[in-house]
DNA sequence: CTTCAATTTTGTCCAGGACAAAGGTGTGAT
DNA sequence: ATCACACCTTTGTCCTGGACAAAATTGAAG
């Protein structure tokens, strides 16, 4: 199950640590200590990948490799906990300003660099929950206040899509269970929420299939009833009328097989809580992860 | 001024060729042949960087390194020219059937694998012009004839976007000139054409900025008039009313600075040729490349 | 003309050594 | 005590040269 092994290039891509650094660390500090394939190629178990991600984050916090690499997992977790309490998951204002400055300067390349740097620095999950989620709010506010135009918002969306989709196309991300179908109702054009959910769920091993926006409810039902879907996830932006959302969700819920879970999230439902029987509401993007954990716990019972 | 020398990491970043490949080529084929710094570090002159870029492009076209690396710059340029005039290819029916089969089976993962395999096999340019372009037509026909549903078309679009955007986020793709702004008018939702154009133009070194779909004409004008854009490229799907397209294009053309080129393409304009003064029409997606070559030729005159 | 096996090409991986830039430490002067 | 400067340590990058597997090409047989 978690027997998956990663080549050194996979580790390089996932952690941002170059092959050469990985080899030197192994030589100098004895970690990571991958198993070897037939011809001596390094194969890193998941556990070591996780620990390397952790180390990477701590290094980015200003700590030095030499000390971190001699610690065991427990000590690293302790450091991480300390770090988590220090960082209250909100966006440093300077970062928000930097993004807005890049947008008003129409510097697409600069924005991509910033996004990618942040992604490799804090990992896909944190990137989505702690960076993109608050950033989206900021962008929305900036647009409302007239600080940026539609075009700049588009620019942001576009670059972010590039970065997220590239991250998603990594190797064997989300090849497991459950199988999640993501989409929006017709008239709902915003796809970023779907992409963020797909990213989060994929890192946790869910097999995501996104249909993008605007799928007719009949089509959703047909696909979800084929027996190859465990969860249907819908996203509603703030502009989507609550009444129409509730109506569609109810129709979908009754038409779907009972075994198929239905999750709904997005700004269009946030705050107001329709509470429909048999529908899981996701208040924040991070709720995807708890919902997934709950689904797995329940699935394990049966 | 052109005495600038580049370290091996700079070359890796600019060309996407790994250090290891660069060293092996030097060993095996005698090119590139960098000068050496005090401690033997490789330092590549600009000229070799240029030639490496060219080689990289030709490899992406499906040619093999062994033959290319033994050629001199003149022969390489000749190949590049020949490449621009290459015959338009059509899709083998078996491949189309395979794609349709995957779609009706809702096998997103299988489709992604197929797309990625084709991409790596024939390179980004050929992938777009010879594979995706005819495939899009096929998908469109399949939908019209009822062979596939909206959901399956969405599935196709989504997977293709993942693959194309991942390919685009490669290293230093499109960091040069000209600077192209890509988008669609409001009411135009189809983004695939933009993405394909962005992919093609980027491989040829254009600095593309896509705003995605539905940008207000005023915003396009504002951005394009900032002096940081050389070309504005618009896409119109078959569903877009011709009259509205022409109207918008004319308005845009008069409002844009004369120095900014305006390119328009997509099924919405194909066949009918409004022929607007000062507007370049792209009949096929591959026309992006010839238009780019023309633009560069004209730019070189001044 | 197709099919399958042999061969060549090509990218990736390995080990172990060297070195410079960045980070830390100690000493003396203000 | 604080600052500047010389010194040591840590750390990432670069080097050479060899091995091998996957992909592409070629050639032989059906």
């Amino acid at each position: 199950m978690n027997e998956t092994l990663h080549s050194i290039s996979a580790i390089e891509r996932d952690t941002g640590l170059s092959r050469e650094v990985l080899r030197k660390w192994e030589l100098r500090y004895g970690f990571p200590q991958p198993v070897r394939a037939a011809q001596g190629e390094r194969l890193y178990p998941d556990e070591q990948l996780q620990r390397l991600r952790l180390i990477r984050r701590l290094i980015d916090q200003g700590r030095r490799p030499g000390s971190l690499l001699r610690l065991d997992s427990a000590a690293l977790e302790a450091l991480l906990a300390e770090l988590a309490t220090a960082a209250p998951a909100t966006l440093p204002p300077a970062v928000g300003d930097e993004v807005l400055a890049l947008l008003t300067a129409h510097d697409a390349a600069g924005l991509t660099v910033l996004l990618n740097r942040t992604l490799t620095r804090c990992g896909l999950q944190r990137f989505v929950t702690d960076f993109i989620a608050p950033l989206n709010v900021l962008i929305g506010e900036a647009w409302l206040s007239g600080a940026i135009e539609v075009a700049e918002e588009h620019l942001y969306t576009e670059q972010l899509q590039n970065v997220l989709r590239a991250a998603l196309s990594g190797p064997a991300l989300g090849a497991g269970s459950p199988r999640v179908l993501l989409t929006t109702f017709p008239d709902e054009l915003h796809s970023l929420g779907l992409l963020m959910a797909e990213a989060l769920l994929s890192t946790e091993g869910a097999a995501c299939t996104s249909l993008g926006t605007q799928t007719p409810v009949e089509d959703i039902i047909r696909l979800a009833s084929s027996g190859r879907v465990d969860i249907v996830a819908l996203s509603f932006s703030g502009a989507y009328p609550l009444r129409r959302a509730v109506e569609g969700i109810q129709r979908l819920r009754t038409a779907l097989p009972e075994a198929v879970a239905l999750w709904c999230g997005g700004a269009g439902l946030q705050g107001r809580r329709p509470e429909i029987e048999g529908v899981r509401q996701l208040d924040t993007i991070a709720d995807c992860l708890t919902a997934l954990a709950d689904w797995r716990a329940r699935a394990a019972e049966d």
Side-chain angles (χ1 to χ4, degrees), chain A:
Chain A
M1 167 83 180
N2 51 12
E3 277 302 316
T4 47
L5 295 172
H6 311 270
S7 73
I8 198 170
S9 357
I11 299 289
E12 176 175 28
R13 185 167 19 71
D14 285 7
T15 65
L17 301 164
S18 77
R19 298 157 223 267
E20 275 150 337
V21 165
L22 289 165
R23 296 201 192 104
K24 280 302 174 213
W25 282 6
E26 184 181 337
L27 190 70
R28 289 174 180 160
Y29 316 112
F31 183 87
Q33 191 84 238
V35 298
R36 296 303 181 111
Q39 299 74 25
E41 286 133 23
R42 291 170 173 81
L43 292 175
Y44 298 82
D46 269 335
E47 173 216 283
Q48 297 192 15
L49 169 58
Q50 284 302 92
R51 192 153 140 199
L52 283 171
R53 283 214 188 95
L54 194 51
I55 289 172
R56 174 66 202 253
R57 268 169 59 196
L58 290 167
I59 288 177
D60 288 339
Q61 294 291 325
R63 297 184 191 265
R64 305 200 63 186
S67 49
L68 294 172
L69 282 158
R70 284 179 245 266
L71 298 175
D72 58 10
S73 291
L76 287 175
E77 294 288 351
L79 283 181
L80 178 70
E82 182 184 322
L83 183 155
T85 55
T90 61
L91 205 61
V95 179
D97 290 346
E98 191 179 351
V99 172
L100 289 179
L102 287 169
L103 281 180
T104 48
H106 309 138
D107 183 355
L111 182 58
T112 301
V113 168
L114 175 63
L115 291 174
N116 267 317
R117 198 182 41 194
T118 313
L119 170 58
T120 55
R121 182 147 71 195
C122 58
L124 189 49
Q125 283 195 7
R126 275 245 138 81
F127 178 68
V128 170
T129 57
D130 295 0
F131 183 71
I132 295 306
L135 192 54
N136 282 345
V137 175
L138 184 79
I139 300 282
E141 283 168 0
W143 178 75
L144 277 178
S145 76
I148 62 172
E149 308 275 329
V150 179
E152 279 120 24
E153 200 187 344
H154 282 195
L155 193 60
Y156 166 75
T157 306
E158 200 69 9
Q159 306 312 312
L160 180 54
Q161 268 198 60
N162 283 340
V163 171
L164 278 179
R165 290 191 193 250
L168 273 173
S169 71
L173 250 184
S177 135
R179 294 151 304 179
V180 185
L181 183 73
L182 300 110
T183 191
T184 72
F185 282 162
D187 306 323
E188 172 58 68
L189 295 170
H190 291 76
S191 61
L192 263 189
L194 293 176
L195 204 50
M196 290 165 68
E198 188 179 355
L200 277 191
L201 294 170
S202 292
T203 61
E204 288 295 324
C208 295
T209 305
S210 177
L211 297 179
T213 56
Q214 302 200 83
T215 305
V217 179
E218 288 69 28
D219 282 31
I220 302 177
I221 294 169
R222 205 168 41 79
L223 256 78
S225 306
S226 68
R228 278 190 295 263
V229 170
D230 299 308
I231 299 164
V232 171
L234 298 175
S235 167
F236 299 88
S237 72
Y240 203 86
L242 182 61
R243 185 172 308 166
R244 185 128 46 106
V246 172
E247 197 181 296
I249 292 170
Q250 274 167 338
R251 186 148 67 92
L252 190 55
R253 179 65 279 180
T254 49
L256 281 180
E258 222 175 304
V260 176
L262 182 54
W263 297 356
C264 301
L269 303 180
Q270 219 163 29
R272 35 250 186 109
R273 324 193 88 268
E275 283 294 355
I276 303 162
E277 178 76 17
V279 176
R280 169 98 191 210
Q281 291 211 25
L282 310 174
D283 288 327
T284 72
I285 185 68
D287 279 351
C288 286
L289 296 176
T290 57
L292 180 59
D294 292 349
W295 187 93
R296 285 193 162 131
R298 176 168 300 188
E301 282 176 16
D302 309 337

